[in-house]
């Protein structure tokens, strides 16, 4: 394989890893460009959108190469972004041979990450925290903690079976709402709305919102638009899940819910 | 108030875990989240509305995230994403859906518009925070470089 192709492969693979784990468009674009330049490839073109990278090198020479990657929106993993960023810094300074860079990229891809149990526990803590911040009492936070753990377990299971994100959002928020309403029937003396809000905050499209804004204001309108649409749709899905659960609860004879 | 801030810090920490933030940055993320909540609460206390308070809190969060990113040589997203979640209008989405189901359309609309306003405030907070030129933050990063001779010579300018 000619050198230019290897460089292209490395650069686009790094970009792919960044994009898959929730990097912004300008970061991906800049990383790909810098890596190419660091390995002395100057005649290149890169175009990045939220779910794809297109790149060509040396279009007018014999060792021309091009690459297209489709990248579905994935789970946020900031550790990988930080690692790739570090790798690209070192490549820029010329500390890293092509082979070594490939090896490190591979290692970064296979990084172990956080255990599922930790994730579930963190989700519980975070639900409880939000429930408390929104004015819930201690007992509400405890229930929120349990529901948050349940939700994260459900999300992890769903993600492993490749269930669509929208279905997960609808079912997840419906599950939290139903759980909270059942608890409300059983215990009576709880602020069920705070518990629901604490529970569904994990599903909220905060990341899509923030990344979308950054993309939009860097001039990547298409990518920013994709992310903002994602944020909006996710919000609507959550609302639909909550609404459906409340409605079903009412129809089953739960009666009007006091606020 | 102190308990509230502590809870905000812990929640942000939990979010940092959920987003797989590198371990050595957990503490900074959590501090940033706590700071955002303090600003939000202070603004509310001094009589700003919910939306304006959100704007100031997001602005603070973004600036602190950029400073931290220069100091710690990390992408600023690492510090921003987890911190911002304390301000995301989760209750707005819930009440909008709830009132809609209860057929209280005017209250539902009011809540829906409020949710969009808060989202807009977060948007503008981030934009203003990002508007400051990167070179200022790079200078900050270079200050710390001098103490550690092994650190980067040429900052790549990515935040």
């Amino acid at each position: 394989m000619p050198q230019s192709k290897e460089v292209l492969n490395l650069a686009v693979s790094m970009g792919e890893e960044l994009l898959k784990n929730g990097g912004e468009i300008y970061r991906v674009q800049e990383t790909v460009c810098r890596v190419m330049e660091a390995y002395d490839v100057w005649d290149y073109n890169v175009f990045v959108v939220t779910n794809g990278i297109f790149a060509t090198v040396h279009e007018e020479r014999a060792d021309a190469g091009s690459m297209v990657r489709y990248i579905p929106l994935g789970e946020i993993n900031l550790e990988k972004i930080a690692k790739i960023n570090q790798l690209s810094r070192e490549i820029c300074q010329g500390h890293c041979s092509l082979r070594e860079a490939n090896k490190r990229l591979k290692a970064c891809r296979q990084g172990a990450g956080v255990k599922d149990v930790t994730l579930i526990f963190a989700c519980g803590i975070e639900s409880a925290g939000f429930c408390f911040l929104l004015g819930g009492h201690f007992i509400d936070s405890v229930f929120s903690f349990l529901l948050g753990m349940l939700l994260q377990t459900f999300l992890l299971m769903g993600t492993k079976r490749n269930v669509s994100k929208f279905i997960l959002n609808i079912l997840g928020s419906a599950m939290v709402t139903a759980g909270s309403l059942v608890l409300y029937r059983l215990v009576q003396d709880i602020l069920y709305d705070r518990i629901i809000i604490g529970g569904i905050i994990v599903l909220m499209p905060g990341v899509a919102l923030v990344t979308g804004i950054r993309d939009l204001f860097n001039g990547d309108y298409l990518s920013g638009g994709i992310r903002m649409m994602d944020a909006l749709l996710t919000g609507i899905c959550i609302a639909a899940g909550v609404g459906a659960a409340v409605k079903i609860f009412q129809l089953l004879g739960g009666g009007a819910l006091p606020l | 108030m102190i308990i509230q801030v502590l809870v905000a810090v812990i929640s942000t920490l939990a979010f940092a875990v959920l987003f797989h933030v590198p371990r050595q940055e957990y503490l900074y993320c959590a501090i940033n989240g706590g700071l955002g909540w303090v600003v939000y609460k202070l603004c509310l206390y001094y009589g700003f509305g919910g939306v304006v308070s959100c704007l100031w809190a997001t602005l603070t969060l973004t600036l602190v995230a950029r400073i931290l990113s220069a100091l710690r040589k990390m992408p600023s997203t690492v510090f921003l994403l987890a911190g911002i979640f304390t301000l995301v209008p989760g209750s707005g989405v819930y009440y909008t859906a709830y009132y809609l189901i209860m057929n209280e359309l005017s209250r539902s609309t009011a809540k829906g518009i409020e949710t969009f306003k808060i989202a807009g405030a977060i948007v503008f907070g981030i934009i203003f925070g990002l508007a400051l030129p990167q070179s200022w933050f790079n200078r900050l990063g270079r200050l710390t470089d001098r103490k550690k001779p092994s650190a980067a010579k040429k900052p790549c300018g990515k935040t």
Side-chain angles (χ1 to χ4, degrees), chain B residues 104-123:
Chain B
E104 294 185 43
L105 294 183
S106 60
R107 287 170 92 176
S108 163
T109 322
K111 273 289 172 190
I113 291 173
E114 197 192 313
T115 309
F116 269 103
K117 270 165 83 179
I118 292 176
I122 294 178
V123 170

Side-chain angles (χ1 to χ4, degrees), chain A residues 26-27 34 79 88 193 257, chain B residues 20 95 98 156 158-159:
Chain A
Y26 83 96
R27 186 189 307 286
R34 276 174 193 276
E79 188 176 12
S88 103
D193 51 341
L257 297 163
Chain B
H20 305 262
Y95 286 119
Y98 176 82
C156 271
K158 268 178 288 186
T159 49

Side-chain angles (χ1 to χ4, degrees), chain A residues 25-57:
Chain A
I25 301 301
Y26 83 96
R27 186 189 307 286
V28 179
Q29 186 119 27
E30 209 175 289
T31 304
V32 176
C33 295
R34 276 174 193 276
V35 170
M36 298 250 217
E37 282 169 18
Y39 290 119
D40 222 20
V41 174
W42 295 91
D43 177 20
Y44 61 81
N45 270 297
V46 188
F47 176 59
V48 184
V49 284
T50 305
N51 41 17
I53 301 181
F54 312 81
T56 62
V57 286

Side-chain angles (χ1 to χ4, degrees), chain A residues 10 13 24 28 35 46 63 67 98-99 109 111 137 147 151 154 163 177 180 186 189 195 202 205 208 216:
Chain A
L10 173 71
S13 299
E24 311 94 312
V28 179
V35 170
V46 188
D63 60 346
M67 213 164 259
L98 203 54
R99 182 176 297 168
R109 257 193 205 148
H137 301 300
L147 282 175
L151 176 65
F154 171 73
V163 183
T177 314
S180 170
L186 292 178
D189 201 20
I195 298 178
V202 188
L216 273 181

Side-chain angles (χ1 to χ4, degrees), chain B residues 88-100:
Chain B
V88 167
S91 54
V93 173
Y94 167 74
Y95 286 119
T96 310
Y98 176 82
Y99 286 129
L100 196 66

Side-chain angles (χ1 to χ4, degrees), chain A residues 51-127:
Chain A
N51 41 17
I53 301 181
F54 312 81
T56 62
V57 286
H58 292 165
E59 271 174 290
E60 286 166 19
R61 282 171 35 181
D63 60 346
S66 67
M67 213 164 259
V68 178
R69 294 268 170 97
Y70 167 67
I71 300 143
L73 291 177
E75 184 197 21
I76 307 294
N77 189 330
L78 293 173
E79 188 176 12
K80 285 188 182 169
I81 294 188
K83 270 190 189 158
I84 300 268
N85 218 29
Q86 186 57 33
L87 178 59
S88 103
R89 243 178 236 275
E90 278 169 36
I91 290 175
C92 282
Q93 289 159 16
H95 292 332
C96 215
S97 72
L98 203 54
R99 182 176 297 168
E100 196 186 327
N102 269 316
K103 210 186 284 172
R104 283 186 53 183
L105 177 64
K106 212 172 176 187
C108 176
R109 257 193 205 148
Q110 290 162 346
V114 188
K115 280 194 202 112
D116 282 0
V117 185
T118 324
L119 285 182
I120 292 171
F121 186 71
C123 188
I125 291 280
E126 165 278 302
S127 297

